[in-house]
Amino acid sequence: MKYLYYLYQLCVALPVTVVATIITGITVAAGCLLGGGHFFGYYPGKWWAWIITRIFLLPVSVEGKEHLEEGQSYVFVANHQGAFDIFLIYGFLGRNFKWMMKSGIKKIPFVGMAVKASHQIFVDKGSQSKVKETYLQARQTLRSGMSMVVFPEGARSYTGGMSKFKKGAFILADELQLPVVPLTINGCFEVMPRTRDWHFAHWHPLRLTIHQPIYPIGQGAENVQTIMRQSYDSVESSLDERYKTSV
C-alpha cells in the first residue's frame, strides 16, 4: 500500500498541487491588486490548502471551533510539527487571518507572489530595523480587527515534540490586550517532518485542536509570562502522548 500511495502522489497528488499552487498564486496576486485584499488574501489560500490536504487523501478532524467568537480578533499560537501544518491550519481553522512567517517563503515560486500581495507578516531578523518593521506590521494587522497565526517555537520540530515558545506573539497580544488561542497540531510530523522535506508524504490522519481563548489578566511582563506558560501547557495537553515533555 505504501508504494501505491507513492505512485498516486507522483501521478495525481503532486501534479494537482503544482497546478493548484500556480492558479492560487495568480488569483491572490490579481485579486489583491484589484483591491479585494480581505477576500483574496484569505479564501483562495484556504481553498488551496483544503484541496492539497484532500488530494493527498489525509483524514482531518477539528475540535473546539465553538470556542471562537464571531468578529473577535485573536492571536493564534500553534506547535510546528511539519510542512503540512500550513495546510491544516489554513484549510480547516475557519478564520480569516494573516500569517507571521519567515521571509524566505517569499522566494518560493507563486507562493511568494501570493504572500507578498496579500500582505502577510514576514519575520526578518537581518537587522534591528527589520525586526521593528515586523512588529509594526503585526500591530497594524491586529488593530485592524484581523487575527494572526504564529508558530512561537520559531521553527519546525525535529522530534514531533515542542520547543520553548518565543515571546514575540505574546508581547503583541499583551500590548493590544487581545486573547491568545492555543492550537494543537497532531499528525503532521508523521506525514512530512522537516527531515523529510521534498520526499514523498506518508499517510496519517491529521487533527487540529482549538483550545479556549486565554484572556489577559493585566498588562506587562507578568501577563506575558503567564499567558505564554498557559498557552504552552494548553498546546501540549492535546499533543499525542509520545511527543509530550520532549523539549
Side-chain angles (χ1 to χ4, degrees):
M1 285 299 292
K2 180 175 72 172
Y3 294 105
L4 282 177
Y5 185 48
Y6 289 170
L7 182 62
Y8 168 81
Q9 289 180 50
L10 195 61
C11 297
V12 179
L14 291 177
V16 169
T17 296
V18 170
V19 172
T21 300
I22 293 171
I23 293 173
T24 301
I26 294 172
T27 302
V28 171
C32 291
L33 184 64
L34 294 172
H38 186 75
F39 180 89
F40 286 97
Y42 170 67
Y43 286 99
K46 169 186 169 65
W47 298 328
W48 167 77
W50 187 93
I51 288 169
I52 291 175
T53 307
R54 293 310 189 191
I55 204 66
F56 275 87
L57 308 178
L58 302 173
V60 174
S61 61
V62 181
E63 304 169 0
K65 280 190 175 182
E66 68 277 5
H67 296 147
L68 304 181
E69 295 180 21
E70 196 67 35
Q72 173 66 55
S73 178
Y74 294 108
V75 177
F76 293 98
V77 295
N79 60 313
H80 204 359
Q81 283 198 330
F84 274 76
D85 297 349
I86 306 297
F87 306 130
L88 181 60
I89 292 176
Y90 221 164
F92 298 91
L93 180 59
R95 199 78 176 192
N96 198 332
F97 64 86
K98 298 293 184 185
W99 291 99
M100 182 175 278
M101 59 177 61
K102 292 182 177 180
S103 59
I105 293 176
K106 290 188 285 187
K107 299 177 182 178
I108 302 174
F110 294 99
V111 173
M113 178 174 65
V115 296
K116 285 188 287 185
S118 57
H119 301 292
Q120 306 299 326
I121 304 161
F122 300 104
V123 179
D124 190 337
K125 299 179 181 179
S127 67
Q128 192 64 33
S129 63
K130 289 181 178 179
V131 172
K132 185 178 180 181
E133 185 179 338
T134 297
Y135 278 92
L136 287 174
Q137 185 184 358
R139 287 189 191 98
Q140 185 179 2
T141 296
L142 291 167
R143 282 177 175 148
S144 72
M146 184 68 69
S147 294
M148 183 174 69
V149 172
V150 184
F151 294 113
E153 294 167 279
R156 288 172 291 164
S157 172
Y158 278 108
T159 65
M162 291 167 57
S163 300
K164 293 180 180 179
F165 282 178
K166 294 178 172 61
K167 293 181 181 180
F170 303 97
I171 291 173
L172 279 170
D174 173 74
E175 179 184 332
L176 301 176
Q177 291 290 280
L178 290 174
V180 173
V181 178
L183 304 174
T184 303
I185 290 169
N186 280 295
C188 291
F189 185 76
E190 284 78 8
V191 173
M192 188 178 289
R194 67 185 297 179
T195 54
R196 288 186 53 82
D197 280 348
W198 307 110
H199 287 67
F200 286 109
H202 290 169
W203 187 92
H204 196 279
L206 305 180
R207 186 171 81 251
L208 176 65
T209 304
I210 304 168
H211 296 275
Q212 291 188 359
I214 302 172
Y215 288 86
I217 57 169
Q219 193 164 23
E222 184 178 351
N223 181 58
V224 171
Q225 289 292 341
T226 299
I227 292 180
M228 186 165 64
R229 183 176 62 252
Q230 290 177 347
S231 297
Y232 187 98
D233 291 344
S234 292
V235 174
E236 193 181 43
S237 69
S238 293
L239 201 62
D240 287 345
E241 288 296 327
R242 64 186 179 278
Y243 297 131
K244 290 184 179 180
T245 62
S246 59
V247 176

